[in-house]
Amino acid sequence: MELQIGSTVQTPRFCTVKIEALFNNVQTANECGFTEPTHFRDEDYFIWGKSLGNNRMIFAGIKRYE
């Protein structure tokens, strides 16, 4: 699977989410606040969320391997 900013992805935890950012590694994503797992299963990417406040989140794709 190849993700791009603007892609939509079906996740078990949050249903359909839109990818707002892409990262090459987990550490950088965590430093930018993307810490909520979506339980998305893919060979190439994790999808994690970042809370923006009350019931608002954005989501990022994170490559599993550099």
Side-chain angles (χ1 to χ4, degrees):
M1 168 183 227
E2 187 62 37
L3 284 182
Q4 298 177 356
I5 293 175
S7 297
T8 56
V9 179
Q10 184 74 26
T11 70
R13 184 173 175 194
F14 296 103
C15 296
T16 302
V17 302
K18 182 178 176 184
I19 302 302
E20 302 286 341
L22 294 172
F23 294 95
N24 287 324
N25 60 64
V26 171
Q27 181 179 352
T28 304
N30 285 168
E31 289 169 359
C32 291
F34 291 90
T35 58
E36 288 294 323
T38 65
H39 308 296
F40 176 74
R41 297 190 187 274
D42 183 76
E43 293 179 358
D44 301 320
Y45 288 94
F46 297 109
I47 306 291
W48 285 0
K50 174 181 178 177
S51 177
L52 298 178
N54 194 19
N55 296 320
R56 294 190 57 220
M57 294 187 78
I58 59 174
F59 296 89
I62 306 162
K63 287 194 176 185
R64 285 187 177 266
Y65 309 103
E66 287 188 342

